[in-house]
């Protein structure tokens, strides 16, 4: 079982956010903004899936996982609240969240199906966020020149994603979820997640008027496709998910523990909500 602490981030998101808040880089800003737009709806779905999965466990297993599930719910609830504040700021730049209504429609397709499907979707998304988190925690210099509060926001979220990456996966398997369905959902989520991220990033850039700038494409190529880019760096850990003996804990998250230890002045600990 993982000990998950719920933290309140001590940053002020009532203050406006600069248009190109991520180190003056239009591509990185649009891309982070796109991801942030998916969090309030996506993380609510993860919370609901994990809560429902927890309720379906036999009593003995509930006792074992209760604290971890409470921690997961508390962390994700905090993320979605903070990102909603951040999203309210970036929407003042004329950006429109097109991802959320698409995601809502898709989620309705899962309503009434075996809850293990929702958990497999959650586990696949959590694997993606954990890969992204590791990549980002290893490259805090991406935020050089950004406001400290925004750097803190993204690295805190990354640290907690790495911390709770096992919860949905463990629940899925505790409820008898199969390896075959886990793989199927990872394939589907990979397509959906990449295409949604791309579409929202392009939309943000278009509305920002920076889509056709050479510097935008150069930054995109470097940070996504380059040797040190997210896609190339994350391909192997992404593929590991398809192994029958895969478990999220096999992939390191020391950077998460390091960040949380070194940044205690950025957050306070809070009580945890009920798991169910
Ligand atoms: Fe999160
Ligand atoms: Fe998460």
């Amino acid at each position: 079982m993982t000990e998950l602490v719920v933290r309140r981030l001590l940053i002020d998101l009532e203050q406006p956010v600069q248009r190109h808040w991520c180190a003056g880089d239009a591509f990185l800003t649009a891309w982070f903004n796109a991801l942030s737009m998916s969090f309030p709806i996506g993380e609510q779905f993860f919370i609901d899936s994990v809560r429902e999965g927890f309720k379906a466990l036999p009593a003995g297993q509930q006792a074992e996982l209760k604290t971890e599930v409470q921690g997961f719910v508390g962390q994700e609830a905090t993320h979605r609240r903070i990102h909603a504040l951040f999203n309210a700021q970036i929407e003042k730049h004329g950006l429109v969240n097109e991802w959320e209504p698409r995601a809502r429609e898709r989620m309705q397709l899962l309503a009434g199906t075996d809850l293990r499907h929702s958990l497999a979707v959650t586990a696949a998304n959590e694997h993606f966020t954990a890969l992204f988190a590791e990549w980002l925690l290893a490259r805090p210099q991406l935020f050089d020149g950004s406001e400290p509060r925004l750097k803190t926001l993204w690295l805190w979220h990354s640290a907690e994603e790495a911390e709770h990456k096992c919860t949905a996966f463990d629940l899925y398997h505790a409820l008898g979820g199969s390896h075959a369905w886990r793989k199927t959902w990872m394939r589907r989520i990979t397509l959906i997640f990449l295409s949604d991220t791309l579409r929202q990033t392009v939309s943000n850039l278009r509305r920002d008027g920076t889509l056709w700038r050479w510097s935008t494409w150069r930054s995109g190529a470097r940070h996504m496709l380059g040797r040190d880019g997210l896609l190339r760096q994350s391909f192997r850990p992404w593929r590991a998910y398809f192994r029958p003996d895969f478990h999220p804990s096999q992939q390191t998250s020391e950077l998460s523990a390091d960040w949380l230890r070194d940044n205690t002045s950025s957050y306070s600990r809070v009580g945890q909500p009920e798991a169910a």
Side-chain angles (χ1 to χ4, degrees), residues 65-85:
L65 280 170
K66 186 172 184 197
T67 320
E68 179 173 341
V69 166
Q70 281 176 339
F72 177 93
V73 169
Q75 288 191 345
E76 293 292 36
T78 314
H79 299 171
R80 62 184 302 278
R81 192 172 50 76
I82 296 273
H83 277 275
L85 293 172

Side-chain angles (χ1 to χ4, degrees), residues 39 43 76 79 83 152-162:
F39 292 148
E43 295 185 313
E76 293 292 36
H79 299 171
H83 277 275
T152 299
L153 164 69
W154 285 93
L155 295 180
W156 158 79
H157 194 165
S158 297
E160 292 196 347
E161 286 305 321

Side-chain angles (χ1 to χ4, degrees), residues 123-124 127-128 131 165 169 173 179 182-183 186-187 190 231-252:
H127 186 55
F128 262 100
L131 295 181
K165 64 186 177 182
F169 186 96
H173 283 290
H179 175 59
R182 179 161 73 73
K183 284 194 302 186
M186 180 46 112
R187 279 193 210 100
T190 299
L231 297 183
R232 278 175 73 174
Q233 288 290 320
S234 302
F235 178 71
R236 287 176 81 174
W238 167 80
R239 199 176 50 183
Y241 194 85
F242 293 91
R243 283 199 326 253
D245 64 345
F246 171 80
H247 189 272
S249 63
Q250 292 158 354
Q251 297 182 346
T252 56

